[in-house]
Every structure is written in C-alpha cells, then in structure tokens.
Amino acid sequence: MTADPTGSRSASGWVRTSRDGAVLTVTLDRPDQLNAQTPATWSALAEVGASLDDDVRVVVVRGEGRAFSAGLDRSVFDTSSTTAGGLGELVRLPVEEAQERIRAYQAGFRWLRSPAIVSIAAVQGHAIGAGAQLALACDLRVFAEDAQLRLPEVSLGLVPDLTGTSTLVELVGYSRALEMCMTGRAVGAAEARAIGLATLVVPGPELEDAVADLSAALLSPPVGASRATAALVRSAVRSDFPTQDAAERAAQVQRLHDLAGGR
C-alpha cells in the first residue's frame, strides 16, 4: 500500500488512505462490521507506516461509519480454529514464533509514534479492545461526544497486547490504567477528557472539522522546530531531569545552527 494524493486501499485489511498535502488520513473501512480488525488489518496498517515519506507531518486515523473500531473480529477468537492469523494458530506455534507474530502485529500500531509525525485518532462510537489500543497508539485523540473506549481483554482471558498498556499508563497513571484494564469498563468521552485520554471532545457532527483544525495548527510551526519539539516531549515521559535537560540543550543548539544555515 502506498500513501498517495488519490488514495489507496489494502487488498484484504479493510484499510484505505488518502493524502492532502502533509496530512495522511488512514481509515478503517469496514463499517458494516463496526471496523472490526483482523491480523490483515494490522499488516495493512504496518504497510502504511513503512510507506511514509518525509513530507507527511500529520497522520489522522479514523473509522468509517458509526464506530471507530469494535475491536478484534470474532472470527479470530476461536482458539480451537486453525484459521490463518487466528488465536488458534498462535496457540499452535512455538512460543518464540508466536511472540514474533505478535511483534509483527504490534508494528501496525507502534509506527504512529514515529519521530517525523504527529498522529491523531478521530474517535466516534465504540473504540473497544484493538480499537481502543489503536486510538491509544496515536499522539492525540479527538473524541466525539458518543465515543466510548474500553479494554475488555481480561474478561476474555487475554491481555492487551497491541502496545496499549504503556501509552495508557503515560496518559492516566498507574492506578487508573490498572483499574481500566482489570475491569474492562467503558470510559465515555466526558471522563476521557477529564482524565487525559481525550485531547478534545466535540459533538459528533463537528468531529471532522475539529480534527482538520487541529491538523492545521500542528502544521503551522516550521517543520524542523515542530519535529524537534515533539521529540523532546516524547522523551520527557521516560527521561530523568538531567537527561531531559541535556536533550533540550542539544536540540536548541541544533535548531540555532539550522536557523543560521537557513533551514
């Protein structure tokens, strides 16, 4: 799959892309199934990430129809099935191979924190399980008022394994993240805004315009300063004070040299 101005669609992952200047929009395109995901979806998402060119600065992830994503497609759940990509296939693989398979699935999510971009999840309706983790994989989340995020994996005897736990703890803290994952309860838009999960909450009809406005605001600073600042904010999550202070010094000196050189 390539990201191009005319748009493209994955062969079997129900993912399509469209490009408007420096903004790439990635759409889960399976509205009749509430954008339920399969391993093919994650492969398609990983291909999008691998195809990014340096001119892309903002990536918007959205779901077609009335839901962002209802999570994992039910056909994948049966552990007794030998369907390719299903949980049953994972059970039958050697442990290390099964973990490598999941690593490949995670690649469809982790690229949304790539250094050169800022990613925005436009969330309406349900964002459940893999859908919730896809929203969490993004840097920012704009919720419609009807949005609900839920991580029900533990109730199915599973764990969240698509990069969601690290981001959730970053956003809401250990205790609240533990409570959300262990209970699998739904978090509505108002609570999501209050606890830092949602960057912005808007009425449903305003979701597209709100995301467009946010994208434009993110594109307004010079690209070099924008990317350097994003890198600093991301590193601050895990760095101690001396390490972060040093990163700021180094980044600022580099920016001064770039500006002096006309970049």
Side-chain angles (χ1 to χ4, degrees):
M1 179 187 304
T2 58
D4 60 56
T6 58
S8 61
R9 186 185 301 271
S10 67
S12 59
W14 299 285
V15 173
R16 75 172 192 269
T17 63
S18 61
R19 177 84 171 265
D20 182 8
V23 180
L24 176 69
T25 299
V26 182
T27 302
L28 302 183
D29 191 15
R30 200 185 183 197
D32 56 325
Q33 299 294 323
L34 300 182
N35 299 314
Q37 301 174 37
T38 69
T41 309
W42 307 329
S43 294
L45 289 170
E47 289 176 19
V48 175
S51 74
L52 288 180
D53 63 70
D54 194 54
D55 291 329
V56 175
R57 294 179 58 187
V58 174
V59 174
V60 176
V61 181
R62 60 181 295 274
E64 188 64 43
R66 59 191 177 92
F68 180 73
S69 174
L72 191 62
D73 188 279
R74 289 288 176 181
S75 65
V76 182
F77 272 106
D78 186 359
T79 56
S80 65
S81 171
T82 59
T83 301
L87 299 184
E89 183 186 30
L90 283 178
V91 169
R92 288 163 179 77
L93 290 174
V95 169
E96 290 187 0
E97 189 174 341
Q99 291 186 13
E100 283 302 309
R101 182 74 61 87
I102 295 173
R103 184 200 296 270
Y105 297 162
Q106 291 171 333
F109 295 68
R110 188 55 78 187
W111 70 271
L112 289 161
R113 295 294 183 95
S114 297
I117 65 169
V118 175
S119 53
I120 307 169
V123 184
Q124 81 282 7
H126 293 297
I128 301 173
Q133 292 184 81
L134 183 58
L136 289 169
C138 294
D139 293 296
L140 308 171
R141 281 151 296 283
V142 180
F143 275 32
E145 290 176 336
D146 70 341
Q148 288 195 342
L149 185 146
R150 187 158 64 92
L151 293 160
E153 285 85 352
V154 71
S155 66
L156 302 170
L158 302 170
V159 300
D161 65 341
L162 296 171
T163 77
T165 56
S166 58
T167 308
L168 186 63
V169 173
E170 282 180 9
L171 292 171
V172 304
Y174 162 76
S175 297
R176 186 168 276 124
L178 181 66
E179 179 263 332
M180 287 175 59
C181 290
M182 294 295 288
T183 65
R185 69 177 180 85
V187 176
E191 181 183 359
R193 180 70 180 91
I195 65 177
L197 270 179
T199 310
L200 186 66
V201 174
V202 298
E206 298 177 17
L207 181 62
E208 185 175 345
D209 287 343
V211 171
D213 289 346
L214 179 56
S215 298
L218 292 169
L219 292 175
S220 61
V223 59
S226 177
R227 286 174 172 169
T229 300
L232 282 174
V233 174
R234 287 168 176 152
S235 69
V237 176
R238 295 180 179 84
S239 298
D240 58 27
F241 291 160
T243 301
Q244 186 65 15
D245 292 350
E248 290 180 2
R249 295 193 297 270
Q252 189 70 300
V253 170
Q254 183 62 55
R255 291 303 308 141
L256 291 170
H257 280 279
D258 288 346
L259 290 171
R263 293 168 56 192

